[in-house]
Amino acid sequence: FIENIFYPLYHFFWSYIINFKGKILYFLWFFKKKDFFSLNNNDKLIVEPTIVSKNIAIKILEESKLFIDDTKKELLSNRFSIEKSKQNLADGEVPYRISIYEKLSENLKKEIVQFASSDKLITTASEYIKIFPILTRVQVYYNIPRENSSVRGAMFWHKDGFGFKNLDFFMCVTDVDENNGPFYCVEKKINAGIFKSFDYLFKKTGEKNKVSLDNFNKKFKDDEILEFKGTGGKAILLDSFSTFHRGGFCKNKDRIMLRFCYQTHDAISGELESNKDYFSYDSSITKKNVKDIFEKYLFF
């Protein structure tokens, strides 16, 4: 019933009523055919490194050398643990990740946002969502191994946020292997999308809507799980609302990952601040200087 009747009906309502403006922009965007990555009716796709993605990864790595030691000290500090615990108990329990996007130069931030708003990525998100998207998140996360720590937070199986459909872009900045946190997701598309639930029997404090590895393995076997790892510039496109995924457990090496989120205006996102006069991730992009209707919708 959910897959064959409820989901299609809700999808129509979501597309043409809730996201009416985004749907109109989607049709207008495709008047001129543009290149994109096809997900082939799935909700995830691994993308091999390109010249552009490799260059972005190299530049982030080079700039991060200027502040990475101080960043690691900050991450290991008691103050950081206390602050994180106020936001999320799981993240405050032996913290393992920290955002470094804010520490990058303005020129590099601009280049990253240009990459995120390139025709090919925007068209890819549009083609998957069937709505012209909003760029709600641009992140560079630094993950480190922690002694005597266990799986926690985003290392457990979960779905992201609260929304119906989105597309995330996760890109390796450092090379990613078994020792610094491969990314895992269910390989097969779940036709019921966000309406496919799970018995959330895992009651650990601070792990809301997370699924323990043991419980998850009762439903999904190893050959049904996709493992993502690779060299700098390699990426995976993923609908993080509908796909169970996990990652980030570094055994003995650090990891840096770039992430973009393409969503619709009805999704609940803490990063989306539409009241600002400038784009949160590149202050040179302002409501006054953006005249293009697609860019104005994408950024604001």
Side-chain angles (χ1 to χ4, degrees), residues 73-94:
K73 290 177 183 177
E74 179 185 354
L75 180 53
L76 294 172
S77 69
N78 288 330
R79 181 189 61 80
F80 185 82
S81 178
I82 292 169
E83 287 300 315
K84 276 295 172 183
S85 295
K86 294 176 181 177
Q87 303 168 23
N88 185 299
L89 286 174
D91 282 347
E93 178 191 343
V94 194

Side-chain angles (χ1 to χ4, degrees), residues 13-246:
F13 177 75
W14 176 82
S15 298
Y16 290 93
I17 306 299
I18 295 176
N19 285 288
F20 178 75
K21 184 177 180 180
K23 193 69 171 180
I24 296 298
L25 289 175
Y26 163 76
F27 287 130
L28 292 175
W29 182 254
F30 275 91
F31 274 152
K32 185 177 181 180
K33 191 68 176 178
K34 297 175 175 68
D35 188 26
F36 63 95
F37 297 109
S38 174
L39 275 69
N40 297 317
N41 203 35
N42 204 328
D43 52 7
K44 74 275 301 174
L45 175 73
I46 291 178
V47 179
E48 294 300 324
T50 65
I51 294 174
V52 175
S53 67
K54 285 181 181 178
N55 285 338
I56 292 286
I58 290 170
K59 289 180 179 181
I60 293 173
L61 275 179
E62 285 300 310
E63 280 205 8
S64 67
K65 290 177 182 177
L66 302 173
F67 54 75
I68 207 69
D69 289 341
D70 289 337
T71 301
K72 181 175 284 191
K73 290 177 183 177
E74 179 185 354
L75 180 53
L76 294 172
S77 69
N78 288 330
R79 181 189 61 80
F80 185 82
S81 178
I82 292 169
E83 287 300 315
K84 276 295 172 183
S85 295
K86 294 176 181 177
Q87 303 168 23
N88 185 299
L89 286 174
D91 282 347
E93 178 191 343
V94 194
Y96 61 94
R97 64 178 178 175
I98 188 171
S99 174
I100 61 172
Y101 182 80
E102 300 78 14
K103 301 175 187 291
L104 299 175
S105 68
E106 294 302 317
N107 284 337
L108 184 51
K109 287 180 186 176
K110 186 184 295 292
E111 192 169 341
I112 291 171
V113 170
Q114 286 175 349
F115 179 42
S117 57
S118 62
D119 278 0
K120 189 163 188 175
L121 286 181
I122 295 305
T123 307
T124 298
S126 296
E127 179 62 20
Y128 171 74
I129 304 173
K130 303 300 183 188
I131 302 290
F132 192 81
I134 301 168
L135 179 60
T136 61
R137 188 184 301 181
V138 179
Q139 291 177 321
V140 179
Y141 263 108
Y142 174 51
N143 288 38
I144 65 170
R146 297 296 303 267
E147 291 184 6
N148 303 317
S149 64
S150 58
V151 173
R152 59 207 180 279
M155 301 175 192
F156 287 115
W157 289 102
H158 65 282
K159 295 179 180 181
D160 286 346
F162 185 80
F164 180 65
K165 208 172 181 182
N166 81 331
L167 194 67
D168 276 340
F169 176 88
F170 294 93
M171 190 190 88
C172 302
V173 175
T174 52
D175 294 349
V176 174
D177 58 29
E178 296 293 342
N179 294 311
N180 63 342
F183 182 90
Y184 300 93
C185 65
V186 176
E187 187 166 17
K188 186 179 178 181
K189 180 181 179 181
I190 298 174
N191 291 328
I194 65 166
F195 303 117
K196 176 65 176 180
S197 189
F198 206 97
D199 291 328
Y200 293 107
L201 302 175
F202 188 49
K203 301 297 184 182
K204 186 178 178 182
T205 304
E207 304 289 9
K208 184 180 179 182
N209 294 335
K210 301 294 193 303
V211 185
S212 70
L213 305 190
D214 289 341
N215 276 343
F216 200 80
N217 290 340
K218 293 175 184 176
K219 176 66 179 176
F220 297 98
K221 306 306 178 187
D222 288 347
D223 60 359
E224 297 178 281
I225 304 302
L226 177 66
E227 180 185 54
F228 170 67
K229 54 187 179 182
T231 58
K234 188 173 183 178
I236 183 169
L237 293 159
L238 174 87
D239 185 341
S240 62
F241 287 169
S242 66
T243 304
F244 281 104
H245 59 280
R246 69 180 182 90

